[in-house]
Amino acid sequence: MIVPERPRLEGAQQDDDGFASWYVEVWPRLVGFLLVQTRDRQEAEDLAAETMARSLARWGTGDVERPTAWAFTVAMNLSRRSFRRQVRDRAAAQRWATRDWVAEPDVRDPDLLVALAGLPRRQRLAVGLFYLADLTQAEVARSMGISPGTAAALLHQARTRLRRQLGGEP
Amino acid sequence: MTDDLERRLRSPWVGSQPPPVESIYSMAPRRRPAHRPTGMRIIAAAATIALLGIAAVVVRDAPSEEIVVAASPSTTEPTRSTPAPDVDSGARVDIGRSTRSEHLLDYQVREHAVRDEAGNWVVFVGLHNPTTSPVEVMVHGATAVLRGTTGDCPASPAIASDPDPGDPTTNCTWTSPVMSGATGSVLDRFITIHPDLTTWIPLPIRADDWVGSAVIHGQLLWRSDTGDWWKGSVIVIERVPLPSAVSPDRGGG
């Protein structure tokens, strides 16, 4: 028999290095970003936790200059895999046709999220990286593996589409 | 409108409260030291790992040089073991840092163990990878605490307690390393568990003359393709008979 056991928490070092405060600050933005990518709250939080765990592994090693940007790039890559999985998942496909996934009390702007989720995938990613991760257009381009011009075009198209869709909003 | 859209886009889209940061620490891979060589990383890990893994082996009389433990069939046979009937399908072990299925391996212990050339008992632990991707695992930092029920306590500098060292019927406890390297085992280095295959990992226990029971400390580690590694599960092997034919006459303090 194998008894699963989690690694011990090394409490004394928990926020010596600022990870915990960074984690609290970035978490909601990361979940929002992933929620729009996946339209699945549980999946979004799982992927956010996975992203945070990977960030913790790199924290303080000097490998990562801008942890927030790095974390969002990791989250983007994780969400791509999740998207491929969801494409094969009928239940997930049905969720895409509803607004259930924004029916959580902490979703502050459900109309915005629905509009964002309706964007083409690359526009969704670009908007999330630009506005939530606070990347520059050049950094968005680098993260997505596209040219800066393409990143600028994706952001412009996304904003145009969102304005059109949300135009009637107060 | 542009300002309003920009404002809405820049504010957090949800107000989700994060789970306690402890949950992230508990699932995070071990931090990778910035420029520490691999050997140093393993040594640093061992100190922590030594606190975790625990496996129990109950040693008792048996008619042959075989250790009997819960077992199930394999697809990859250990080289020196005796074929055994199915006894137990084994448990699924979480070797990863989350409950995601891709981090799970099926675990089993071979019913029969064997002696190696040095006279050590070798228990085989089988790990089956049910996923579609190879994973690398290590059994690390394993030690065995043997508890005597008959015979004498072995002469060993690792004796932990022996209330009456000269008494051949007394109970005594001592610690033996579950050895690595020298006996050709794959302990303390990563091995690849290929998809849909079972790989058998030998655990050589220095319990040559000993009759009694033991507790083994060990830990599974898991490594991803990025080189990060995580602490996994603890192994517990519950019953292993040792032969009575081998006289426990090396002990006595």
Side-chain angles (χ1 to χ4, degrees), chain B residues 95-214:
Chain B
I95 64 162
R97 58 200 168 91
S98 75
T99 55
R100 292 176 178 281
S101 60
E102 59 264 34
H103 295 155
L104 299 179
L105 293 182
D106 291 324
Y107 158 84
Q108 56 195 277
V109 179
R110 190 157 191 80
E111 185 180 14
H112 292 81
V114 297
R115 277 200 188 278
D116 63 13
E117 293 83 351
N120 306 300
W121 287 105
V122 184
V123 175
F124 288 92
V125 175
L127 294 175
H128 176 259
N129 178 2
T131 72
T132 55
S133 305
V135 295
E136 289 184 290
V137 298
M138 174 198 291
V139 178
H140 187 61
T143 59
V145 176
L146 302 177
R147 185 183 304 279
T149 54
T150 61
D152 213 345
C153 294
S156 165
I159 288 177
S161 66
D162 183 357
D164 188 359
D167 181 354
T169 62
T170 193
N171 290 332
C172 56
T173 302
W174 65 292
T175 302
S176 168
V178 177
M179 292 162 291
S180 62
T183 56
S185 86
V186 292
L187 289 174
D188 289 293
R189 55 191 169 91
F190 283 103
I191 58 168
T192 300
I193 313 291
H194 293 286
D196 205 27
L197 281 179
T198 297
T199 297
W200 290 94
I201 300 177
L203 302 175
I205 303 167
R206 187 182 293 165
D208 45 358
D209 293 351
W210 191 235
V211 176
S213 65

Side-chain angles (χ1 to χ4, degrees), chain B residues 68-73 84-90 108-112 200:
Chain B
V68 178
V69 295
S72 59
D86 298 355
V87 174
D88 182 5
S89 62
Q108 56 195 277
V109 179
R110 190 157 191 80
E111 185 180 14
H112 292 81
W200 290 94

Side-chain angles (χ1 to χ4, degrees), chain A residues 73-120:
Chain A
T73 305
V74 169
M76 175 185 69
N77 291 331
L78 292 173
S79 72
R80 282 173 169 162
R81 289 180 217 162
S82 169
F83 180 78
R84 283 196 290 270
R85 189 163 59 244
Q86 289 202 9
V87 164
R88 299 189 296 268
D89 180 354
R90 178 174 294 180
Q94 288 173 347
R95 275 198 302 276
W96 278 84
T98 72
R99 286 173 62 106
D100 293 349
W101 59 280
V102 291
E104 298 281 344
D106 64 352
V107 172
R108 293 173 173 170
D109 196 343
D111 293 325
L112 176 67
L113 260 62
V114 169
L116 284 164
L119 295 176

Side-chain angles (χ1 to χ4, degrees), chain A residues 128-142:
Chain A
L129 293 173
F130 186 76
Y131 288 102
L132 290 183
D134 207 21
L135 300 189
T136 65
Q137 284 190 6
E139 289 169 330
V140 169
R142 196 157 53 244

Side-chain angles (χ1 to χ4, degrees), chain A residues 47-80:
Chain A
L47 296 180
E50 176 91 5
T51 301
M52 287 298 185
R54 295 190 186 193
S55 300
L56 175 59
R58 304 275 177 160
W59 196 265
T61 62
D63 292 350
V64 179
E65 233 174 73
R66 296 182 58 194
T68 303
W70 188 86
F72 272 81
T73 305
V74 169
M76 175 185 69
N77 291 331
L78 292 173
S79 72
R80 282 173 169 162

